[in-house]
Amino acid sequence: MEKITNFFKTFLLFELVKGMALTGRYFFARKITVQFPEEKTPQGFRFRGLHAQRRYASGEERCIGCKLCEAVCPALAINIETEEREDGTRRTTRYDIDLMKCIFCGFCEESCPVDAIVETRILEYHGEKRGDLYYTKPMLLAVGDKYEEQIAKDRAADAKYR
Amino acid sequence: MSTRLETLGQNLQNVLGERIARLGTALGEATLEVAPANYLETARILRDHPDLRFEQLIDLTGVDYSTWGDGAWNGRRFAVVSHLTSVSKNWRLRLRVFADDDGYPVLPSLIGIWNSANWYEREAFDLYGILFEGHPDLRRILTDYGFVGHPFRKDFPISGHVEMRYDPEQRRVIYQPVTIEPRENTPRIIREEHYGDAGHG
Amino acid sequence: MPAMAEIRNYTINFGPQHPAAHGVLRLVLELDGEVIVRADPHIGLLHRGTEKLAETRTWLQTLPYLDRLDYVSMMCNEHAYCLAVERLLGAEVPLRAQYIRVMMDEVTRILNHLLNIGTHALDIGAMTMVLYTFREREDLMDVYEAVSGARLHAAYYRPGGVYRDLPDRMPQYVQNKFKNAETVKRLNEARQGSLLDFIEDFTNRFPAYVDEYETLLTDNRIWKQRTVGVGVVSPERALALGFTGPMLRGSGVEWDLRKKQPYEVYDRMEFDVPVGVNGDCYDRYLVRIEEMRQANRIVKQCIDWLRMNPGPVITDNHKVAPPPREKMKAGMEELIHHFKLFTEGMHVPPGEAYAAIEHPKGEFGVYAISDGGNKPYRIKLRSPGFPHLAATDEMAKGHMIADATAIIGTIDLVLGDTDR
């Protein structure tokens, strides 16, 4: 009996028809396509994207030049130089991140004792010529200033896990 | 698990006897060391003896011990370490053999015993310059065609010796000495023993 | 004497830019007509010297490089590394961290097999498969992103546990000109609760998806013609060639590290190990399909446990793992630990350890030698793809050139993992 059914199944392209029926069903089903540049898929709260330097509410930059991030960076992408300022505090005179080297592991953010260097949720940025993706301190601070609200919100929400 | 490890140790003692140069267990793993002269024979016994039955060579790698412990090493420089698995007995063994000559390390090839040794030995040859006698096809495997040197030796710099770039004048890719400056943010440090134990530093 | 026409075998390059070569594999094929006489894979085009790099990085800094080996099963690579380091350190891992690791490992296994089955089918002519498998991968990628902050290179496992606990909320879709409020509400239904709720919803849906894949492939005559009897490996040969994972089980050897040498909490999990019979590409495909179902079972068991048992997810030994941020900012001692760990890094006692896990592709092992320093003395990564690819010659010999694609697909080749 089984032989006969198998014969007919083979002869009538049974399994192919079944497969076609499945794809046919999806042809008429609701589409799951995301129209990318206009709409985006949900982005995780812990997303590690473009770096930013943060400031305190007073406008003072947070980074104290402890160089922990420079030391922990597996790709050696961070370069820091520091100097004592007139008011006696230590601040960076140079803080560069070479995004071409960066592997976005998030260790810099993890190591920073004052939450100065963070990885934001920005993932759409580009450079048009060589050197464009070498981010210096003013560039990083500018990113931080622009997205501070979002950065602070994400950090606050995730604070209990860190 | 520990009793199984003991059984394995006992079986190795019984079967191999004098061929064992050193046999130890640490961290739940058994390590067997043999002299190069006994290497091939030991491997065959390890595979075939009914009390051992290591059917699989899981891994084979070269190791360069020359800078171990910042100069604390005074044995031979090159070793070949293989990891064996017995599917029927469900145990593992690490087999280590040191090459006699530091300058021209040669060891017999395991390819006739475990076929999986083929590429692993090519890799060890490529990266460490260890030669395997009896290997039918000892070519470089991971490095570029025409590569010079053995990159995983401890005296080979991390940045290599040459870099490649396109030369617009000659209109082809050329090799030139490396231009990147070596950079190391965290030096290699070896602390004294018991550093980091509870109640210590 | 009339000159005999000299018949020479024809040699062709398959790759390195061949779409079915799964990356940068150069396969030199010697052909007699259309029959493969010899297959000589040239690898190393993606060799980045991870093992050498590890020697100049601290134990922690090496971790993110492990993600980049097998870039479709990232967390499994980290897992083996963490196990090796933990064994050397003798560090205790909190139970909750072990469950999280097992759960994420199985999520990774599903991710990996989805990619493998999708692209394998794509390579040998079944275009649709990859569209369906990538739909499910998207959900799991969201899990990855919610947990670690990256869709691929997670850097989530740490020696001593995992970086952070699982989040209690999921990111949601927002309304836009393509999706109205109703659609968005429907899409967000599964995303209302915590991450665990989201994964549970997925595990409930997933078996039906696997049935769909089976409808499309398992009985399909074209798929069978392309895979049944292709690349047959006997159990004896599979052992001699160093096969592990689905490649070994496809040949009928029941060997699964999760069962035989359980690590973490796999001994508390209930699951079955599928085994093939003929050792051909088709059996290995069936093994992978069944493994996805079993992985789904394990994920479910982990979710149940994780819901009931909150707790720490990383060791409180601050010589190994940094203290929580709150404490670091409040206490001097914690701050010192923090600084020490992120500059000098942890010190691992002298010794050697080989830790192996049941990676989706086979046995992934990390052989770590420490001389007591803050950096590894030598790390050897035993990648499952390496011996499998080495056996291509034996598997492809005598087959038609079109079967080379099927064989490469069934190996589940990822060059990042083979070349290291």
Side-chain angles (χ1 to χ4, degrees), chain B residues 61-81:
Chain B
T61 172
V63 183
D64 174 1
Y65 278 101
S66 57
T67 63
W68 199 87
D70 286 346
W73 190 258
N74 50 13
R76 302 253 66 100
R77 180 176 176 188
F78 292 106
V80 166
V81 183

Side-chain angles (χ1 to χ4, degrees), chain A residues 104-155:
Chain A
F104 297 90
C105 60
F107 284 180
C108 48
E109 179 175 349
E110 220 176 294
S111 69
C112 185
V114 290
D115 299 323
I117 180 81
V118 290
E119 286 199 42
T120 63
R121 280 162 66 170
I122 307 160
L123 69 154
E124 291 145 333
Y125 55 91
H126 71 289
E128 282 166 8
K129 57 180 189 298
R130 187 178 290 217
D132 268 6
L133 290 176
Y134 191 85
Y135 269 51
T136 54
K137 191 178 164 191
M139 294 159 90
L140 291 166
L141 279 168
V143 178
D145 292 343
K146 195 169 166 194
Y147 297 99
E148 174 61 30
E149 202 183 329
Q150 169 100 67
I151 295 169
K153 216 175 90 192
D154 285 344
R155 299 297 168 283

Side-chain angles (χ1 to χ4, degrees), chain C residues 139-289:
Chain C
D139 280 346
L140 293 177
M141 280 291 156
D142 275 353
V143 171
Y144 252 63
E145 191 179 319
V147 164
S148 69
R151 290 165 67 86
L152 288 172
H153 301 309
Y156 180 59
Y157 297 179
R158 298 293 152 87
V162 298
Y163 175 36
R164 298 182 211 183
D165 208 340
L166 305 169
D168 57 4
R169 57 184 184 143
M170 284 295 290
Q172 317 228 324
Y173 280 93
V174 285
Q175 206 177 324
N176 56 41
K177 65 177 171 182
F178 297 101
K179 290 194 166 64
N180 56 26
E182 197 195 335
T183 320
V184 167
K185 189 159 172 270
R186 185 175 49 81
L187 284 172
N188 283 337
E189 245 163 44
R191 296 170 176 269
Q192 293 306 318
S194 69
L195 174 89
L196 284 176
D197 296 331
F198 182 74
I199 304 180
E200 188 170 34
D201 176 67
F202 177 82
T203 54
N204 291 334
R205 284 182 285 137
F206 189 59
Y209 291 146
V210 182
D211 292 342
E212 285 182 2
Y213 310 148
E214 291 218 74
T215 313
L216 286 173
L217 289 183
T218 306
D219 288 328
N220 187 295
R221 64 191 67 192
I222 306 169
W223 174 253
K224 277 180 129 172
Q225 278 162 9
R226 292 300 304 269
T227 53
V228 174
V230 173
V232 181
V233 183
S234 68
E236 297 74 37
R237 287 308 293 160
L239 286 170
L241 289 166
F243 279 19
T244 46
M247 297 290 285
L248 185 60
R249 289 194 284 276
S251 295
V253 182
E254 197 195 339
W255 178 253
D256 190 318
L257 292 179
R258 295 175 293 172
K259 281 269 191 229
K260 300 287 181 180
Q261 301 173 355
Y263 48 96
E264 307 289 23
V265 288
Y266 273 115
D267 47 350
R268 303 183 184 194
M269 298 292 156
E270 259 180 53
F271 63 99
D272 302 320
V273 178
V275 175
V277 180
N278 305 317
D280 56 6
C281 293
Y282 186 68
D283 277 20
R284 290 189 278 264
Y285 152 77
L286 290 178
V287 166
R288 290 200 172 104
I289 285 276

